[in-house]
Amino acid sequence: MSVAELDPGGGEREVGAPLIEGRGLTRVFGVRRGVFAPRRTLRAVDGVSLVVHEGETVALVGESGSGKSTLGRLLLGVLAPSDGDVLYEGEDVSRLRGAAWRRFRREVQVVFQDTGASLNPRRSVGSSVGLPLRHNLGRSAAQARAGAAELLARVGLPPETFLERLPHELSGGQRQRVGIARALASQPRFVVADEPVSALDVSIRAGILKLLSEVQGERGIAYLFITHDLGVVRAIASRAVVLYLGAVMESGPVSALFSTPAHPYTRALLAATPVPDPTRRRTAEQQGARGDPPSPIDPPPGCRFHTRCPLVQDICRTTVPPLVTFPDGVVSACHYATDVRQLPRPGAVAAVSGVSGE
């Protein structure tokens, strides 16, 4: 059974059944602020639930330190949750063994932000892309080399030019294309893209986003796209989950979140996006978050955004807000979600546009 998803390109794309799901995910780290200081706990992810369907792109949005990358690693199986469960096709990932675990590791892949660190500097591009073909798909060395050449061609890197190159001989955009080719080599069904375009200039960024969207249309891959750039979210995702201090503030269809957000934090993120109109910029600044985020080791009581919220009320300081669900699919953790949606739109966010080669 499939449902229609709004394609960022303007049409509709079919998405299938739930592929990967996190239920009440919590990840706690022990930290010390000094040699003799007592050990304390940091809840990097705190009770987060989300689901990604086959062929769907879900964006994970929030400031640095909000828990986005930690949540991605929990879904990848790289980190074990302190509490909660990760389900892949309805099966608890923590209970997978043998062939089932190997299939999960093959079908769930990642594209990293730091391509310089994620590629082996001593291994050629062809070798890096061919390695998953040999180890995950059991191809021979010759087959892996041929497969690597096909994948490089698919991501816009002519194999006759790039197959033998080393990572330091490539530009940032070219290295990111190699990272995408390497992830595709394992024939994944779910890919966590962790800030894959944040280090690239705008023209190269558009080309990478177009490539990811095209590959999704061809192979039906599901993406969890981690980013802080709302322009990127609008370009590639149909749904978004907004994190703050490890907890979900709001989630729902991107079109609804951008037009009528129901949480002050989402409004603050939209307000922080640069706009060319000086009048609208001044209005946005008035709606933005105040100050810096509190320490995740000592999150505030009640709504954890209340220390920076321009609309804070007494109840926000003491009581955790319940989830409010709207008919258009938006879910907000705000005591005044209905009132927030009535406020003027905090500002337009343009999608990344244009395509550029290397």
Side-chain angles (χ1 to χ4, degrees):
M1 179 101 183
S2 64
V3 295
E5 170 193 56
L6 181 64
D7 187 336
E12 282 195 350
R13 173 179 293 160
E14 291 294 316
V15 297
L19 179 62
I20 193 161
E21 182 178 3
R23 294 182 178 176
L25 291 177
T26 296
R27 176 65 192 198
V28 177
F29 295 98
V31 296
R32 278 195 177 96
R33 287 183 168 174
V35 177
F36 300 106
R39 189 176 181 85
R40 306 183 67 184
T41 58
L42 185 156
R43 300 176 77 86
V45 174
D46 193 2
V48 173
S49 296
L50 82 164
V51 60
V52 182
H53 297 80
E54 295 176 348
E56 181 184 31
T57 299
V58 176
L60 204 54
V61 184
E63 296 168 287
S64 297
S66 61
K68 304 187 300 296
S69 294
T70 301
L71 180 56
R73 289 180 173 89
L74 291 173
L75 295 178
L76 286 167
V78 175
L79 288 176
S82 304
D83 196 9
D85 302 297
V86 176
L87 305 181
Y88 184 69
E89 293 190 310
E91 296 188 41
D92 189 339
V93 170
S94 67
R95 298 182 179 180
L96 297 180
R97 300 289 185 274
W101 171 252
R102 289 191 294 272
R103 183 175 73 89
F104 172 79
R105 295 305 308 134
R106 177 178 66 80
E107 295 182 353
V108 175
Q109 295 293 317
V110 61
V111 176
F112 296 99
Q113 174 186 10
D114 188 353
T115 53
S118 62
L119 295 174
N120 189 331
R122 298 183 179 181
R123 192 181 290 276
S124 70
V125 166
S127 179
S128 291
V129 176
L131 203 62
L133 293 169
R134 297 195 64 183
H135 290 278
N136 292 343
L137 301 184
R139 306 282 173 82
S140 67
Q143 290 172 330
R145 183 177 175 83
E150 292 178 8
L151 287 166
L152 288 176
R154 177 61 194 88
V155 299
L157 299 176
E160 61 274 12
T161 302
F162 290 94
L163 204 60
E164 298 302 330
R165 285 193 180 181
L166 294 173
H168 75 271
E169 299 176 296
L170 309 179
S171 69
Q174 290 167 346
R175 286 197 299 268
Q176 195 58 276
R177 289 173 184 267
V178 172
I180 293 170
R182 183 177 61 179
L184 295 178
S186 295
Q187 299 178 356
R189 300 177 62 197
F190 175 66
V191 172
V192 174
D194 191 354
E195 298 276 13
V197 297
S198 63
L200 307 177
D201 66 49
V202 175
S203 60
I204 304 302
R205 185 180 307 182
I208 296 296
L209 294 178
K210 184 174 184 294
L211 171 62
L212 290 170
S213 183
E214 288 174 350
V215 169
Q216 183 179 56
E218 294 168 1
R219 302 193 178 196
I221 297 172
Y223 293 128
L224 180 70
F225 206 94
I226 299 173
T227 184
H228 63 273
D229 188 328
L230 298 186
V232 169
V233 173
R234 187 164 192 168
I236 199 168
S238 61
R239 283 197 301 123
V241 178
V242 181
L243 287 185
Y244 182 74
L245 291 182
V248 175
M249 298 291 101
E250 188 170 12
S251 65
V254 168
S255 57
L257 289 185
F258 280 30
S259 60
T260 52
H263 196 284
Y265 181 56
T266 308
R267 292 182 63 84
L269 293 177
L270 292 168
T273 303
V275 293
D277 186 336
T279 302
R280 295 178 65 180
R281 186 181 298 118
R282 285 195 295 270
T283 301
E285 288 170 353
Q286 295 170 1
Q287 298 169 341
R290 303 177 298 190
D292 297 321
S295 169
I297 299 176
D298 295 304
C303 174
R304 58 190 65 197
F305 184 60
H306 83 256
T307 59
R308 304 174 67 201
C309 182
L311 307 175
V312 62
Q313 302 294 321
D314 288 342
I315 190 174
C316 307
R317 299 183 176 94
T318 59
T319 306
V320 176
L323 293 177
V324 179
T325 304
F326 294 91
D328 59 3
V330 171
V331 180
S332 175
C334 178
H335 291 290
Y336 300 97
T338 301
D339 296 328
V340 171
R341 292 204 95 178
Q342 305 306 313
L343 296 173
R345 187 179 181 182
V349 176
V352 177
S353 61
V355 179
S356 173
E358 295 298 315

